[in-house]
Structure formats: structure tokens, C-alpha cells
Amino acid sequence: MTKDMTRGTPWKLIVQFALPIMAGNLLQQLYNTADTIIVGNFNSQQALSAVGSCASLTALFTALAIGFSIGAGVLISQYFGANRLEDLRRYASSSIVLMLALGLLMSVLGFCSAELFLEKFLGTPQSLLPQAALYFKIYTVGLVFQFGYNIAAAILRALGDSRATLYFLLVSSVLNVVLDLLFVVTFSMGVAGAAWATILSQGVSALLCLVYMLKKFPILRTGRADWAWHGPMVRRLARMGIPTALSNSVTAIGCMILQVTINGFGSTVVAAYTAASKVEQLTTQPTFTFGLAAATFTAQNAGAGKLDRVKDGVRKATVLNLIAGLAAAVVVWLFAAPITTWFVDPGETAVIAASVQFLNIEAVFILALGVLFVYRNALQGLGNAVMPLISGGVELAMRLAAAILLSRFLGYVGVCLANPVAWTGAAVMLVPAYLAELRRQQNNALARAR
């Protein structure tokens, strides 16, 4: 069912739209989280570290998939808001073809370059390299499923349907846990079993989502002409999708650089960072989700020419994200240690202590992350993909500087500060950039009205 966000109370629409996405994203986190929990508890710290050493690489490919799909979804949201359904169908068809092709390309690239990425770029310790390479190679086989799922989910969100993907992710997440237990515990397949469980589950999720989208939405029922190559349309998708994908990916590249620094501290810190990253991903999902909701709300209303409503909705989304960020910080401060034991044996006291220290430092700055998510997505919703890309570059530069310089003077504490420094720097520049873009579009609308 489609949902028109150009009418109704903005904050209620944002919350109603965000809650299913939030639940779905939490379920999606269970893919790799289940891998980490089960490998960490039923194998060894070395196996946990091997899976964790791949985390920044898998995050890079995920960022590319999510980024391009967000860019395509913004265009589709704008056409939906403007009620231009023929253009909507053609853009949806083109974006599906492009995403599947990109996913296949990334699968080949990742599989063929696994050792190069892990050893040369990330400096993965030799003791972890065989298991890490095995996990990553199998994982990359399923990238085409990940890209297919993300574009289908983005199209559904663009039309206001944030519930369907939740149901599909519920099925695939349960399947992932069952397969993890079967492959890792029963069949003793180790990290390979965790990787196979992940990609099989992602394949189910992608297939269900694509079939549902094409069968259940009359406005997406396409003819042969909708699937024909249309150069200007593909170029516009590229102009919106590529900067958004790059914006997401430079953040992931920053995490890769941070991973290099982490790897230099040894396997105990790698295991601690792996566990802390999983806890961070779970606790920051509400802030990430309200950002996604802000993108769809902004895009639909910008397409409908309701820029005053855009301003009100973004302001409400900011308040919601600040509340969500504060709640996440409280959870981390109170429960970081027990949550970390989901991923590592309670007897690994050094790993747990390092993980808790990392999380407590990040929690202080989580409100900046909430602001970053809202305003980056709002700019993308307004059709401005350049400033989010520039902010991503700033975020990358600041994370790089903090990881290298602060770790040299402060050791592990400096590494813990890398993400907060990057979040704060990017957020500071995005707020005025959004206000300037909104003012520009309002002035253009007034000029056209005259």
C-alpha cells in the first residue's frame, strides 16, 4: 500500500513510516550480528576476530548498495509526490537493472580481490587472514542479492510502504539464525558456515521483496517500453545515485582506515572493536531510521512543491532523532558490558573492558550522529547529492586524521575518538548547507510563481 506523505501531521507520518523500517533494519543487523554471536560463542576469539576483520569491507559494499538505492529512491519519491506515474515506472525499472548489474560487478570484484583487500589495504594479521579471506569470499557471492534487496526496499519506501520489507526481513532473519546454528554448530563449518547462512538468507529476502513489489503495486506494473534503455533517464539516476553511493562509501572507507589502526593493536582489540561495532549498529538504528524517513518525507513534499512542509518535517525529524540519540546513549552507558557478552565469552574480561570503553566514548557524541543523519538525508531528499558527498569527504578526512594522530598520542582512546570527531565535523557543515538549499529552492519557487 502506498503512503502519501504530502498530507497529514509531519511528525506522526515520520514516526509511522520510520517504525517498520527501524524494526526491519534491526532485523537486517541480525545477519552479521548472528554470525558474530554464534561464531564468537561456538568457535573461538580468533574466529570472531576473523569475521570482525572483514566488517569494514562488508560495510563498504553495503554502503554502496544503500547509497545508490537511496539516490534512486529520492527520484522515485519526487515523481510519486508529483503524481508522474509513467516516469516513476521507468525510473523504477531502470534502477532495478542498474542495481542488479552493479551487484554482480561487486560480487566478481570482491571475490577476486579478497586477499588483496584484507592483507594489503587493511593489514589483517596473518593469523586471521585464511579465515577472514574465506568468510569474505563467500560473503561477496551474495552481493547481487544485497543490491537487489536494497533497490526493491528503496522503491517501496519511496511509495510510502515501509512495512512490507519488515515482514520479508523477519522471515530471512529467522532463517539466517537457523542456518547459522545448523552450519556453524551442527556441521562445524566455522566462518564459512556463517557466510553461507548470510547470503542464503539475503537471497530469500531479495526475491520476496522484488516479487511482492512487482505484483502488488499496480503503479509499478511495467510494460516492455518501461524496461527499454533510456539514456537521459539512466544519466539522471547516475547523477543522483553515484554521489549518494560515494557519500555512503567514503564513510565506510573511513571505517576501513580505522580498521587498519585497530588491527595494529592485536587480536584482543580487534575482537573488542568487532563486538563494540555490533552494539553501536544496534543502538544507533533509531537515529539512522529517522534519517531515512526524513529523506522520503522531504522528497515527496519537494516533488509536490510543498517546501514549507519540508522545513517543518525536517525540524520534527531532528527533535525525534535527538530523543532517540539520548535514549541510545543511556542504554549504552547502563548496559554496554552485558550487551558485549552477547558476542564474547564473559571470561574475556580484557575484550569486554576495551569494548565498553569504545562504546562509552561514542555515546557522548551520539546526538551529533543523529543530526548528521537527518540533514544528510534531507539534502538528498531535496535532490542535492553534492553536499552530502562533500560532507562525506570531510567525515573521511576527520576520521583519518583522528585515527592516525590521536591514536599516536592517546593510544586506544584516540581510536575511540575517531568516529565522534568525524560525526561532529560532518554534522556542523550539513545544517547550514541544508538551510541554504531550502532557501534556494523556495526563492526559485517564488520566482516561478511571479
Side-chain angles (χ1 to χ4, degrees), residues 15 35 42 64 67 87 91 101 110 128 173 228 294 382 393 407 411:
V15 170
D35 291 349
F42 291 96
L64 286 170
D87 286 329
Y91 272 97
L128 303 179
S173 296
L382 287 170
S407 66

Side-chain angles (χ1 to χ4, degrees), residues 25-46:
N25 284 341
L26 288 171
L27 287 172
Q28 194 169 29
Q29 288 297 329
L30 285 178
Y31 283 136
N32 288 336
T33 300
D35 291 349
T36 308
I37 291 174
I38 293 170
V39 168
N41 283 279
F42 291 96
N43 279 262
S44 63
Q45 178 185 310
Q46 188 177 49

Side-chain angles (χ1 to χ4, degrees), residues 138-200:
I138 298 171
Y139 177 88
T140 57
V141 172
L143 285 175
V144 67
F145 302 137
Q146 185 177 120
F147 277 67
Y149 166 77
N150 275 285
I151 190 57
I155 292 170
L156 289 173
R157 287 195 300 266
L159 302 180
D161 186 344
S162 58
R163 294 185 180 181
T165 53
L166 169 61
Y167 305 140
F168 303 142
L169 283 172
L170 177 60
V171 172
S172 59
S173 296
V174 172
L175 177 62
N176 185 54
V177 172
V178 171
L179 291 176
D180 262 326
L181 292 170
L182 180 66
F183 294 161
V184 176
V185 181
T186 304
F187 296 159
S188 300
M189 293 172 63
V191 296
W196 280 114
T198 296
I199 68 171
L200 290 172

Side-chain angles (χ1 to χ4, degrees), residues 1-6 17 72-81 83-85 87-89 92 151-163 212-214 216-221 296-297 299-300:
M1 181 183 296
T2 60
K3 189 177 187 65
D4 185 355
M5 302 181 76
T6 63
F17 185 75
V74 164
L75 290 174
I76 295 166
S77 290
Q78 290 177 346
Y79 286 124
F80 180 68
N83 200 33
R84 294 171 57 180
L85 301 186
D87 286 329
L88 184 154
R89 281 190 291 272
I151 190 57
I155 292 170
L156 289 173
R157 287 195 300 266
L159 302 180
D161 186 344
S162 58
R163 294 185 180 181
Y212 172 85
M213 179 189 72
L214 295 174
K216 297 296 182 180
F217 283 80
I219 63 173
L220 290 176
R221 290 177 187 166
T296 299
F297 180 91
Q300 283 196 14

